[in-house]
Amino acid sequence: MGRGLVNRLLALIAACAALAVASAAQAEDGYRLWLRYAPLEGEALARVRALPLVVHADQDPTVALAGEELVHGLAKLRGEERRPGVVITASRLARPLPPGSLSFECRDSAVPPGGAFAIKPADGGLRISAGEPIGCLYGAFALLRELSLGRNPAKIDLDERPAMPLRLLDHWDDPNGYVLRGYSGRSIFDWWKLPEHLDQRLVDYARADASIGINGAVVNSVNASPLFLTDRYIPKLRRIADAWRPYGIRLYICARFSAPKDVGGLPTADPLDPAVQAWWKARADALYAAIPDFGGFLVKANSEGEPGPQDYHRTHAEGANTLARAVGSRGVVIWRAFVYSAEDQTDRAKQAYNEFVPLDGQFEPNVILQVKNGPVDFQPREPFHPLFGAMPHTRLMFEGQITKEYLGQATHLAYLAPYWKEVLDAQTGRGGTVAQVIAPAGMAGVANTGSDRNWSGSHFNQANWYAFGRLAWDPTLSSAQIAREWAMQTFSRERGFIGKVVPMMIASREAVAEYMTPLGLTHQMATGHHYGPGPWICNLKRPEWNPCYYSRADKGGIGFDRTASGSNALAQYAPSVAAQWADPRTIDEDYLLWFHHVPWDFRTPSGRPLWGELVYRYDRGVATVDEMAATWASLAPYVDPERFADTADFLRIQSREARWWRDASIAYWQSINGLPLPAGTRPPEHSLDYYKALSFPEAPGE
Ligand code: GCV
């Protein structure tokens, strides 16, 4: 081969390599989340091009980040390579700015502290003002969001403040990198390499959180390892806290209640023991010495085998208060209300209320009680938890589960904003809606982030992280508005896309509720993985871990009687609320079997007998998933091939598994009620024994 040909071949190979790199750089793998800042077009582009990149950077690292974000984001929206922009220092800001400037005032006493900001027209341009630097960062993200949605800068006029002080993510991550109920790879925290090495992903995570107003993260699982309270972990925690501080993310840890014994060398963890109290105080002091803005402790106590004050015949209040006094005014102790005991077999749904309501008023002021959205456990649908509104002298915080343990995990598409809104908007009958009750405290979401390139196990699961932050910032936002802004930033601004994808997202959670647990059924998931159906399971050692405990299905009927003739859980709600649910003939059917045991031939408001209605709902859930898959298929022209294919694959899985849920459930109910299928109904594809025999050793477990 001649030298010329060799050179040409080498050049060709180099060109191919360069192309490969270029296309890899373009690959949409989901890592950039909703912060893609895809170039604008047409008038929107012209308007943003007219905004000069003028930012004010003072010495504060958070203000600097806000400036960086704007420079980066505006350049991207303008379709330009990243440019440094014009940075005006604090001292020069006193001089008149060029007309049409974009500027910051981050210590504006007219704006309240705590993250509030205003974006107003000023000097022919725009000014972001905030009472403190974090408000400027939130303002920068808000401005970029508005521009990304195509808003005209001349018409942007915002005045925002967060609805609640704590907007947290709870990570159920273990020191060895395992994520409990995690469906997106391993933990984002690499405790092995910390403190020397901090993965860039942790910084990118903080940026994403800040962009939606999240302001704290609990870095370890509620089934807590005591390691996090040892000296060895303090430098690791400090390294993360230092990286997160400029983004306004405070670090919290889960505290294992038995830690004074486990790692403190004490013979007891009795919260009233002076040595135990001194130990907690010393631990809190050590943490605050390293991390002055340490958020505090989250505690799961006397729940599912975790240690707690009741091991020493102390109350939850006595336990929480010991930790709260150790932390003092520096932070908070978040105590979980998720407790249910093996002994009390009346009704699991009643137990947290019974346990905590008598303690109202006994907690230190820096204790917050964290209450799951519903009284059982993050099911596809539950009524709001009766504790909301029932403890007027205690700050209550909402706990939601972003990770979708019971809603199809990574593969099933279920947009959760409508789910959380259902609870946040519910009238408690005791001092307003749930959102109003939690406003003095906040919201925590069990995070769905992991080491997967797309962070959340699926592209659409990112929407739940996004929606959680947005709702914690402002629970009055509508599910559709949040879906719309997420989809526009994450995928495409095209009307043809948004007009279809938003309704698809809005319908998705209801579809899951219908093909898994229609009409208020609950906890019918198989043991361990909680992914597929297991309504027949009835032999687990604790009755309330069995699906049959919740369905109460027998020849005569189905559903859990929580009225006065049954467990009377209904009486835990305010009379005005209980009245809506007391009568099976008038209750919202979505809660029918949650509160009532009714005969199979019970006439539902639809006119169908219960058995027919149940089958109808399963079928409707399956049909909605098929429609979602068809909708997505029609959206190919708007979506990059990588994310399009990933989502299409997952919708195929969901279609198949929605049928699995429907068929296995119907086969089981039929084995109980002995009824023929309603006329025209497709019989289950396999026998009940087939479904019972399925096992999934490869599924993510407990
Ligand atoms: C952390 C559910 C999950 C458990 C989880 C528990 C909790 O029961 O299945 O894995 O444990 O909730 O919230 O504490």
Side-chain angles (χ1 to χ4, degrees):
M1 206 186 298
R3 181 174 287 266
L5 186 59
V6 171
N7 283 345
R8 276 206 298 282
L9 270 176
L10 285 175
L12 191 65
I13 291 168
C16 287
L19 258 181
V21 169
S23 72
Q26 296 302 309
E28 290 278 10
D29 55 17
Y31 189 81
R32 292 181 297 158
L33 298 162
W34 47 88
L35 297 170
R36 293 163 62 253
Y37 303 133
L40 292 162
E41 286 168 2
E43 271 181 40
L45 175 62
R47 289 192 297 252
V48 169
R49 284 210 165 131
L51 266 183
L53 294 187
V54 178
V55 297
H56 157 217
D58 71 12
Q59 300 305 313
D60 185 274
T62 300
V63 181
L65 281 178
E68 270 280 297
E69 191 69 37
L70 273 179
V71 169
H72 164 78
L74 286 173
K76 290 259 176 204
L77 289 171
R78 290 151 79 131
E80 296 161 0
E81 279 312 302
R82 206 196 130 130
R83 303 190 328 193
V86 183
V87 176
I88 301 181
T89 61
S91 54
R92 285 183 54 206
L93 193 68
R95 298 182 194 172
L97 291 175
S101 298
L102 183 54
S103 60
F104 288 154
E105 177 50 79
C106 304
R107 295 164 206 283
D108 184 342
S109 55
V111 185
F117 63 84
I119 307 179
K120 303 274 171 199
D123 308 325
L126 281 172
R127 159 98 30 109
I128 301 179
S129 342
E132 50 188 24
I134 188 64
C136 271
L137 184 59
Y138 292 152
F141 280 118
L143 176 57
L144 287 167
R145 177 165 58 237
E146 294 291 304
L147 297 175
S148 292
L149 301 181
R151 301 260 154 76
N152 182 347
K155 302 217 167 114
I156 293 177
D157 187 341
L158 294 177
D159 242 317
E160 294 209 11
R161 65 177 65 187
M164 49 193 94
L166 299 184
R167 306 177 299 279
L168 309 186
L169 292 186
D170 290 355
H171 293 268
W172 285 0
D173 297 16
D174 288 340
N176 64 4
Y178 176 73
V179 184
L180 177 68
R181 308 305 182 186
Y183 312 103
S184 49
R186 307 273 300 165
S187 173
I188 57 173
F189 304 105
D190 191 342
W191 302 106
W192 185 247
K193 299 200 190 95
L194 283 160
E196 286 81 2
H197 177 71
L198 180 108
D199 199 294
Q200 174 63 27
R201 189 177 272 251
L202 285 189
V203 178
D204 297 342
Y205 162 83
R207 170 174 169 250
D209 275 351
S211 75
I212 48 175
I214 300 277
N215 68 352
V218 186
V219 297
N220 62 313
S221 171
V222 286
N223 295 347
S225 161
L227 272 181
F228 290 87
L229 287 155
T230 61
D231 281 341
R232 193 159 73 77
Y233 266 64
I234 288 185
K236 299 174 192 284
L237 296 168
R238 176 171 55 201
R239 181 79 201 271
I240 299 174
D242 287 347
W244 285 357
R245 189 165 297 112
Y247 291 96
I249 311 293
R250 286 178 81 174
L251 182 142
Y252 299 68
I253 61 170
C254 280
R256 185 168 182 80
F257 196 79
S258 56
K261 264 170 62 180
D262 304 333
V263 293
L266 296 178
T268 177
D270 180 351
L272 298 195
D273 184 300
V276 169
Q277 294 177 342
W279 187 85
W280 282 110
K281 174 76 168 58
R283 285 296 82 201
D285 289 350
L287 281 159
Y288 279 102
I291 308 170
D293 57 353
F294 175 64
F297 298 126
L298 169 65
V299 187
K300 172 178 178 178
N302 292 120
S303 168
E304 301 186 330
E306 296 302 302
Q310 293 176 334
D311 302 347
Y312 304 93
H313 308 291
R314 311 297 185 196
T315 66
H316 281 283
E318 287 168 323
N321 289 344
T322 289
L323 273 68
R325 289 184 196 114
V327 168
S329 60
R330 299 173 290 189
V332 293
V333 168
I334 304 172
W335 198 264
R336 294 180 88 224
F338 179 68
V339 299
Y340 58 100
S341 87
E343 287 77 50
D344 179 353
Q345 280 310 320
T346 52
D347 180 356
R348 171 172 167 184
K350 286 173 68 179
Q351 293 185 28
Y353 180 101
N354 289 346
E355 187 78 50
F356 284 99
V357 167
L359 300 178
D360 190 26
Q362 295 182 28
F363 291 99
E364 289 286 326
N366 61 334
V367 174
I368 294 173
L369 199 61
Q370 184 166 292
V371 181
K372 286 191 180 182
N373 55 275
V376 171
D377 193 10
F378 301 138
Q379 294 302 299
R381 171 168 279 115
E382 297 188 36
F384 72 86
H385 202 300
L387 275 173
F388 292 119
M391 295 183 68
H393 306 294
T394 308
R395 274 193 295 165
L396 300 187
M397 183 158 171
F398 170 105
E399 181 176 339
Q401 199 193 40
I402 308 173
T403 187
K404 282 175 49 237
E405 171 182 352
Y406 297 98
L407 287 104
Q409 303 174 3
T411 42
H412 294 207
L413 197 162
Y415 170 57
L416 298 181
Y419 174 77
W420 294 319
K421 287 282 290 178
E422 211 166 81
V423 170
L424 292 167
D425 292 348
Q427 285 292 344
T428 64
R430 297 166 169 140
T433 61
V434 171
Q436 286 165 333
V437 167
I438 63 169
M443 285 173 59
V446 181
N448 66 355
T449 48
S451 60
D452 278 5
R453 189 67 194 155
N454 67 21
W455 294 91
S456 303
S458 79
H459 300 295
F460 274 82
N461 274 351
Q462 296 177 357
N464 293 327
W465 178 8
Y466 184 87
F468 190 86
R470 296 289 286 139
L471 284 174
W473 180 272
D474 181 359
T476 68
L477 292 172
S478 76
S479 300
Q481 180 179 339
I482 297 171
R484 191 180 152 78
E485 57 183 54
W486 174 79
M488 284 176 92
Q489 294 171 92
T490 305
F491 283 112
S492 163
R493 301 181 184 100
E494 298 279 345
R495 279 203 190 146
F497 176 77
I498 295 299
K500 285 185 166 186
V501 87
V502 171
M504 177 185 98
M505 290 170 72
I506 297 293
S508 61
R509 173 280 187 140
E510 196 58 50
V512 174
E514 291 206 319
Y515 64 72
M516 288 189 182
T517 49
L519 291 175
L521 278 173
T522 199
H523 219 306
Q524 297 303 299
M525 295 77 195
T527 312
H529 56 70
H530 288 168
Y531 182 78
W536 46 82
I537 297 172
C538 216
N539 59 358
L540 303 177
K541 76 170 188 269
R542 282 182 61 167
E544 76 286 6
W545 287 348
N546 288 288
C548 69
Y549 170 95
Y550 297 96
S551 72
R552 308 264 152 147
D554 55 26
K555 184 99 184 133
I558 183 168
F560 199 129
D561 183 1
R562 293 192 163 101
T563 66
S565 56
S567 78
N568 208 14
L570 203 52
Q572 293 182 336
Y573 291 93
S576 58
V577 175
Q580 297 165 24
W581 293 330
D583 185 341
R585 289 162 310 175
T586 53
I587 190 175
D588 174 347
E589 282 173 300
D590 287 338
Y591 299 112
L592 177 62
L593 304 180
W594 180 280
F595 285 110
H596 299 279
H597 185 85
V598 290
W600 293 101
D601 62 359
F602 173 80
R603 185 75 33 197
T604 62
S606 69
R608 278 180 283 268
L610 182 85
W611 175 227
E613 183 66 22
L614 203 58
V615 173
Y616 171 79
R617 299 268 178 148
Y618 283 116
D619 278 332
R620 193 164 67 179
V622 172
T624 306
V625 177
D626 290 348
E627 280 160 27
M628 286 160 56
T631 300
W632 186 252
S634 75
L635 296 177
Y638 302 101
V639 183
D640 51 279
E642 295 87 353
R643 292 185 300 167
F644 178 79
D646 289 349
T647 304
D649 289 350
F650 283 10
L651 281 164
R652 256 194 302 281
I653 295 174
Q654 189 173 3
S655 282
R656 174 167 50 76
E657 293 181 341
R659 285 176 171 71
W660 168 35
W661 262 100
R662 176 241 184 234
D663 287 0
S665 306
I666 290 179
Y668 176 65
W669 304 133
Q670 253 196 311
S671 79
I672 300 276
N673 62 21
L675 294 171
L677 282 173
T681 304
R682 177 179 67 76
E685 194 178 345
H686 300 284
S687 70
L688 177 59
D689 286 342
Y690 168 90
Y691 294 112
K692 283 182 168 178
L694 293 174
S695 85
F696 304 95
E698 70 279 21
E702 288 178 278

